[in-house]
């Protein structure tokens, strides 16, 4: 028994008993028919947010403007949205107004693709007004209604189409594809943030390469300049599975060599992408060596190597990188047998920069195998270094 599903059916039945229509809808039904039961369950209902809130105590107003509230029951949560009709859109992104309706068919009509417009009732019966089931079986992604109009209403649907190709191995139906092609300029109306979100979905999905090929063929890359060269490359080279950060570094390496300012990345993502990009640039001419492996760590090096081997399989250095990492006598400064505190204790030095320079040298000596990671030998090396520094200063 699937608890989320059974609890969801309970929510539907409770709504029904209170005189409302209620169905599972969208991605949950699509994925359920494809054989995966997600716990991310959307419910569509004739009940208004107020009515839902009265029936389920503790309901949270998560998107009341769009008719959505979150219902909690038996440790599960459900997004319940009132049957909606979306008005016209001036900005190709947001409807000017949303209206609420008491009819399921009107709610399904506003949805993007036939496979996302399937509904399921409490008894498990499927409501299929747009041939979504047949499209699901044939793995076809088809816009509901006139595709060009649908993409003009909301250009985000263009990226959602590629998301479903990448996730589900679907093929975009020709008229829908033409609608994307014709309206690709409207992608300029989609915020950088949403573009990034959809892009991450695509890159992390199992059939990402299929989506890259569809993106390249549809012309949308004209509007996605920072990733254009990278996606075109990936569309025709069968790559190793790349993380989003590796994907981004590859795109920037083949493109502008810089992370676009419009990308709202977390600091962690930005640093990680920048580090991979730098390493890819450094290792373009020189192979990975033990210093690079020490400074960047195994994961950073493997990430850059994933980009390198995607660009040219002959440059795969994974085994060498792993061997170098395994052979490193130390992985962190604190693993030095003679370190900062010891320098302070056994020399008259106090200047942090000078001490830092000595530590860098000790690390270099240890990881290149010139001096073993041994207290006495490192101390001797440090003292002789300090003596030579003193002589240089005196002379
Ligand atoms: P996922 O499995 O990635 O969550 P999903 O289809 O459930 O995919 P959601 O963004 O969760 O996608 O949206 C839920 C449903 O709402 C969709 O299945 C679709 O019916 C509808 N929907 C979402 N975004 C749009 C949109 N931009 N235009 C039209 N319908 C949309
Ligand atoms: Mg969903």
């Amino acid at each position: 028994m699937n608890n989320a599903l059974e609890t969801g059916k309970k929510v539907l039945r409770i709504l029904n008993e209170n005189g409302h229509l209620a169905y599972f809808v969208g991605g949950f039904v699509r994925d359920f028919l494809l054989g995966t039961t997600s716990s991310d369950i959307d419910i569509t209902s004739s009940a208004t947010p107020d009515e839902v809130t009265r029936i389920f105590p503790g309901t949270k107003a998560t998107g009341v403007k769009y008719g959505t509230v979150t219902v909690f029951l038996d440790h599960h949560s459900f997004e319940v949205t009132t049957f909606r009709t979306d008005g016209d859109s001036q900005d190709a992104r947001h409807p000017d107004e949303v209206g609420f309706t008491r009819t399921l068919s009107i709610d399904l009509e506003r949805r993007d693709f036939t496979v996302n417009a399937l509904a399921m009732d409490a008894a498990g019966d499927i409501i299929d007004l747009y041939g979504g089931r047949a499209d699901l079986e044939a793995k076809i992604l088809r816009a509901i209604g006139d595709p060009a109009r649908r993409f003009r209403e909301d250009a985000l649907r263009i990226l959602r189409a590629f998301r479903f190709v990448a996730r589900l191995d679907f093929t975009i139906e020709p008229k829908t594809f033409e609608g994307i092609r014709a309206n690709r300029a409207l992608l300029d109306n989609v915020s950088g943030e949403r573009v990034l979100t959809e892009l991450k979905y695509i890159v992390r999905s199992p059939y990402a390469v299929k989506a890259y090929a569809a993106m390249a063929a549809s012309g949308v890359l004209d509007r996605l300049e920072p990733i254009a060269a990278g996606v075109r490359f990936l569309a025709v080279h069968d790559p190793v599975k790349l993380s989003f950060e590796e994907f981004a570094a590859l795109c920037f390496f083949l493109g502008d060599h810089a992370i676009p300012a419009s990308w709202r990345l977390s600091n962690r993502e930005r640093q990680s992408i920048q580090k991979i990009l730098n390493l890819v640039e450094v290792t373009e001419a020189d192979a990975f060596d033990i210093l690079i492996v020490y400074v960047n760590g195994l994961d950073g090096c493997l990430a850059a190597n994933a980009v390198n081997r995607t660009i040219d399989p002959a440059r795969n250095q994974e085994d060498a990188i792993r061997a170098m990492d395994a052979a490193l006598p130390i992985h962190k400064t604190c693993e030095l047998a003679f370190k900062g505190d010891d320098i302070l204790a056994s020399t008259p030095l106090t200047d942090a920069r000078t001490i830092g320079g000595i530590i860098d040298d000790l690390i270099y000596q240890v990881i290149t195998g010139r001096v073993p990671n041994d207290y006495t030998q490192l101390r001797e090396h440090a003292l002789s270094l300090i003596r030579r520094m003193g002589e240089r200063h005196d002379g």
Side-chain angles (χ1 to χ4, degrees), residues 26-27 30 42 110-112 116 154 157 160 163 167:
R30 178 197 69 218
D42 288 324
R110 75 171 167 90
R111 293 175 184 273
D112 47 5
N116 286 346
D154 180 0
R157 291 171 188 154
R160 285 175 58 85
R163 178 214 294 206
R167 168 107 58 87

Side-chain angles (χ1 to χ4, degrees), residues 83-157:
F83 292 159
R84 226 171 76 185
T85 152
D86 296 347
D88 288 338
S89 161
Q90 303 297 319
D91 66 354
R93 189 54 202 95
H94 306 94
D96 300 337
E97 52 179 1
V98 306
F100 297 129
T101 140
R102 296 278 180 181
T103 340
L104 173 68
S105 62
I106 298 201
D107 180 82
L108 294 181
E109 198 180 355
R110 75 171 167 90
R111 293 175 184 273
D112 47 5
F113 303 106
T114 60
V115 295
N116 286 346
L118 292 159
M120 181 170 136
D121 67 16
D125 289 327
I126 299 294
I127 296 95
D128 177 12
L129 303 183
Y130 296 100
R133 268 193 114 147
D135 283 344
L136 208 54
E137 262 156 48
K139 296 187 165 195
I140 288 173
L141 195 73
R142 186 193 310 270
I144 293 173
D146 171 21
R149 214 194 92 212
R150 301 312 308 284
F151 294 121
R152 281 201 298 275
E153 280 171 3
D154 180 0
L156 179 65
R157 291 171 188 154

Side-chain angles (χ1 to χ4, degrees), residues 53-70:
T53 307
R54 274 199 296 275
I55 296 167
F56 296 95
T59 294
K60 278 223 171 76
T62 38
V64 171
K65 193 173 155 218
Y66 294 102
T68 304
V69 294
T70 304

Side-chain angles (χ1 to χ4, degrees), residues 205-228:
S205 294
Y207 305 97
V209 174
K210 186 167 180 173
Y212 300 149
M215 289 167 84
S218 69
V220 298
L221 295 175
D222 306 352
R223 299 288 157 176
L224 301 170
E225 191 47 40
I227 58 160

Side-chain angles (χ1 to χ4, degrees), residues 10-61:
K10 198 161 143 189
V11 173
L12 297 185
R13 277 195 303 271
I14 295 172
L15 285 164
N16 293 159
E17 283 155 12
N18 282 273
H20 303 290
L21 299 170
Y23 305 86
F24 299 136
V25 74
F28 172 77
V29 181
R30 178 197 69 218
D31 293 345
F32 178 78
L33 292 174
L34 287 171
T36 47
T37 314
S38 145
S39 59
D40 180 7
I41 302 184
D42 288 324
I43 292 174
T44 185
S45 172
S46 59
T48 62
D50 277 350
E51 288 167 335
V52 177
T53 307
R54 274 199 296 275
I55 296 167
F56 296 95
T59 294
K60 278 223 171 76

